[in-house]
Amino acid sequence: MQALGLQLWGIEQAVQGRFSVLRIYIENEEGITVDDCEKASRHISAILDVDNPAAGEYTLEVSSPGLDRPLFTPGQFSQFAGTKVRVRMRSLIQGRRKFTGLLSEVLEASIVMTVDGETVTLPFADIDKANVIYEDDDDANQFNA
């Protein structure tokens, strides 16, 4: 990916019966274009054709992580400290799996969030899915008028 001037942001695989979708998110400082996605898709397809890590039939999707970007690594969580995030856990934490709130702190093995006025610590190892919640300033201000 570096040869294309792109960075790998993350990978998701969603399995639906015999079919699956392999989603690869790419990033670069100037933003991602459709041409970037097309080049990356061709490059990744060539690699997958040789290595074939995904068993069975799958659809390859290559895209930008977008404004409500998924978070995969501790470094990515650190980039968005102070931002509103949505996190789904693999198992119950304090009687629930879904948390939406302010990402307060990123520790070595966990994140700390403020959810409904309370502090919650969530271990990285148990996070199933997480993403930034994009809030447009215009959307936030429309209720203050």
Side-chain angles (χ1 to χ4, degrees):
M1 295 294 260
Q2 289 179 336
L4 300 175
L6 304 169
Q7 301 168 334
L8 175 65
W9 182 264
I11 300 172
E12 292 178 338
Q13 184 170 14
V15 179
Q16 299 165 344
R18 326 179 284 160
F19 302 99
S20 64
V21 174
L22 183 60
R23 252 181 226 104
I24 299 182
Y25 298 100
I26 57 175
E27 179 72 305
N28 102 21
E29 291 179 13
E30 291 81 39
I32 296 298
T33 66
V34 173
D35 288 340
D36 292 331
C37 292
E38 185 180 336
K39 283 188 270 186
S41 181
R42 281 195 305 266
H43 180 77
I44 294 165
S45 288
I47 292 169
L48 293 176
D49 287 346
V50 173
D51 292 340
N52 196 17
E57 296 181 42
Y58 65 92
T59 300
L60 175 65
E61 291 181 5
V62 178
S63 72
S64 160
L67 295 173
D68 58 346
R69 61 188 51 224
L71 301 172
F72 297 96
T73 67
Q76 291 170 350
F77 279 91
S78 292
Q79 276 183 275
F80 290 94
T83 304
K84 195 170 182 182
V85 296
R86 181 176 295 116
V87 178
R88 183 176 70 208
M89 304 301 290
R90 289 187 183 95
S91 58
L92 293 175
I93 305 283
Q94 297 180 355
R96 60 197 277 192
R97 282 195 172 99
K98 296 178 181 179
F99 298 87
T100 300
L102 186 70
L103 177 59
S104 308
E105 189 177 1
V106 180
L107 305 172
E108 188 174 317
S110 60
I111 61 171
V112 179
M113 292 178 63
T114 303
V115 179
D116 300 328
E118 296 195 20
T119 301
V120 180
T121 301
L122 305 173
F124 282 120
D126 199 30
I127 294 176
D128 183 39
K129 189 172 186 166
N131 68 285
V132 172
I133 297 175
Y134 175 71
E135 292 182 339
D136 185 3
D137 287 341
D138 291 337
D139 291 341
N141 291 330
Q142 76 180 355
F143 297 105
N144 297 328

